[in-house]
Amino acid sequence: MDSSKLGSVPEEEQHREESNKPVVSAFASLPDRRPTKSSEKYSPLDWSGFFDGEEDVCIPDSNDVFHLYMAGTEGPVVFCLHGGGYSGLSFALSASKIKEKARVVAMDLRGHGKSSTENDLDLSIETMCNDVFAVLKALYGDSPPAIVLVGHSMGGSVAVHIAAKKTLRSLAGLVVVDVVEGTAMASLVHMQKILSGRMQHFSSIEKAIEWSDRGGSLRNIDSARVSIPTTLKYDDSKNCYVYRARLEETEQYWRGWYEGLSEKFLSSPVPKLLLLAGTDRLDRALTIGQMQGKFQMVVVRHTGHAIQEDVPDEFATLIINFISRNRIGPHGVEIPGLARPNPAQAQGQSPAQTKS
């Protein structure tokens, strides 16, 4: 079974034996260890070399705090949602390229990275969608800029569900990365075995990065050096690093991530791009939709499940070209010859109608 299209949890892991998802607030409370000469290749890289800044967004009337990484100053907002077990830093290397043409916001989803919520195990699709809506509201109020949702694996499911609700009026584009409903649903039965079969403990962050590299879950060592640390946390009781995301305890939500995903994707009223890692079987709905020209599909060769990490330059180029092809500007779709409406008018329009 081809696992390149699974849902985040499952998918990543499957894609090269188990996709690894270290997680963490790693640089916070961990012992200060100096890398040995043999581990220098796997030493962590700081996110600041790729993003311009980070921010914690506190959600009103709750104790939820979501961590964001941000880059760029102009253009539409490319809002990135990572897969299960990853973190916002999964998009670090690609963000450093995308920010030349657009703004980038990469969010640590609930139970991942440096985000902290009242219930980190509630990874239901509705809860994660509500989290994204709450963060967008906190960032932009009632006048959000044009948003291009980019979701990988589990994050792709969240992006599709948000788009299908048709309530984010500034949504101007949808990019789904390596997740197809049929393959993901068929793979769920194997997920617990995959999760339990991966290495569970690491003596150092360098060892976790080395494991992801040698195991093949990530194929770009520089990306692994940036993204892996925030997928881990230090366990004082075990004197080692363990996964930040407790994916094995969220099984009750997995089916909800992917059921009906193809129809929701096709029903989303914005330009759509599906990126796949290698050839994969499209289900009937997607096959018909592709034949009808309802979305653009690109098969990215020589990459694993985490396309944005394995080939970040190619991924960034695909995102930039998608924005350019669909004329997505900071205020929505740009139509030559038509003046940009004022903000009050734009609020009453759909993303496709908003001009700049």
Side-chain angles (χ1 to χ4, degrees), residues 5 160 176 179-183 260-267 272-274 276 280-297:
K5 250 92 256 142
V160 168
V176 175
V179 55
V180 168
E181 177 184 349
T183 311
L261 193 63
S262 293
E263 291 295 347
K264 285 183 171 62
F265 175 71
L266 293 172
S267 72
K272 296 175 283 292
L273 171 62
L274 176 62
L276 300 179
D280 185 68
R281 298 183 303 270
L282 295 183
D283 56 34
R284 176 180 170 80
L286 287 181
T287 299
I288 294 174
Q290 186 191 18
M291 293 173 64
Q292 294 175 336
K294 291 185 176 180
F295 64 94
Q296 177 192 1
M297 185 180 79

Side-chain angles (χ1 to χ4, degrees), residues 130-185:
N130 289 337
D131 290 342
V132 174
F133 280 122
V135 168
L136 290 172
K137 176 75 171 179
L139 287 176
Y140 307 115
D142 295 326
S143 301
I147 302 289
V148 176
L149 281 178
V150 177
H152 170 235
S153 197
M154 177 191 75
S157 172
V158 176
V160 168
H161 279 79
I162 289 173
K165 291 178 184 295
K166 304 176 184 176
T167 56
L168 181 57
R169 289 179 293 180
S170 68
L171 183 64
L174 173 64
V175 181
V176 175
V177 185
D178 211 39
V179 55
V180 168
E181 177 184 349
T183 311
M185 292 296 291

Side-chain angles (χ1 to χ4, degrees), residues 58-245:
C58 301
I59 305 305
D61 303 317
S62 77
N63 293 318
D64 297 345
V65 180
F66 292 98
H67 195 75
L68 309 177
Y69 299 93
M70 312 172 99
T73 58
E74 299 179 345
V77 171
V78 177
F79 199 90
C80 302
L81 304 173
H82 61 78
Y86 293 86
S87 79
L89 292 182
S90 178
F91 296 93
L93 269 65
S94 56
S96 69
K97 306 294 182 182
I98 297 172
K99 71 179 183 180
E100 297 173 3
K101 298 294 183 179
R103 288 171 281 178
V104 181
V105 177
M107 173 180 173
D108 283 345
L109 292 170
R110 174 179 294 257
H112 293 74
K114 294 181 180 180
S115 290
S116 174
T117 66
E118 295 174 353
N119 183 1
D120 279 353
L121 294 179
D122 181 6
L123 296 187
S124 65
I125 193 65
E126 280 301 316
T127 294
M128 290 193 289
C129 286
N130 289 337
D131 290 342
V132 174
F133 280 122
V135 168
L136 290 172
K137 176 75 171 179
L139 287 176
Y140 307 115
D142 295 326
S143 301
I147 302 289
V148 176
L149 281 178
V150 177
H152 170 235
S153 197
M154 177 191 75
S157 172
V158 176
V160 168
H161 279 79
I162 289 173
K165 291 178 184 295
K166 304 176 184 176
T167 56
L168 181 57
R169 289 179 293 180
S170 68
L171 183 64
L174 173 64
V175 181
V176 175
V177 185
D178 211 39
V179 55
V180 168
E181 177 184 349
T183 311
M185 292 296 291
S187 301
L188 292 181
V189 65
H190 305 290
M191 286 312 104
Q192 285 292 1
K193 183 177 181 180
I194 291 170
L195 290 173
S196 63
R198 19 170 222 180
M199 186 175 293
Q200 302 293 320
H201 310 96
F202 303 95
S203 60
S204 68
I205 291 177
E206 290 81 5
K207 287 296 183 183
I209 295 172
E210 180 179 1
W211 179 79
S212 72
D213 178 45
R214 294 189 174 183
S217 59
L218 293 180
R219 304 182 185 183
N220 184 318
I221 185 61
D222 288 335
S223 187
R225 293 170 66 192
V226 181
S227 68
I228 291 299
T230 51
T231 64
L232 305 168
K233 64 179 180 181
Y234 192 76
D235 188 326
D236 291 314
S237 66
K238 298 177 180 178
N239 295 317
C240 66
Y241 291 91
V242 298
Y243 296 115
R244 159 77 171 89

Side-chain angles (χ1 to χ4, degrees), residues 277-339:
T279 56
D280 185 68
R281 298 183 303 270
L282 295 183
D283 56 34
R284 176 180 170 80
L286 287 181
T287 299
I288 294 174
Q290 186 191 18
M291 293 173 64
Q292 294 175 336
K294 291 185 176 180
F295 64 94
Q296 177 192 1
M297 185 180 79
V298 176
V299 176
V300 184
R301 310 286 181 176
H302 312 298
T303 179
H305 177 51
I307 298 173
Q308 73 280 9
E309 298 210 44
D310 293 348
V311 288
D313 288 353
E314 183 175 355
F315 179 83
T317 298
L318 288 166
I319 298 300
I320 292 171
N321 288 346
F322 173 76
I323 292 172
S324 175
R325 180 182 303 109
N326 292 287
R327 302 177 182 271
I328 302 171
H331 305 285
V333 176
E334 298 177 333
I335 301 179
L338 292 181

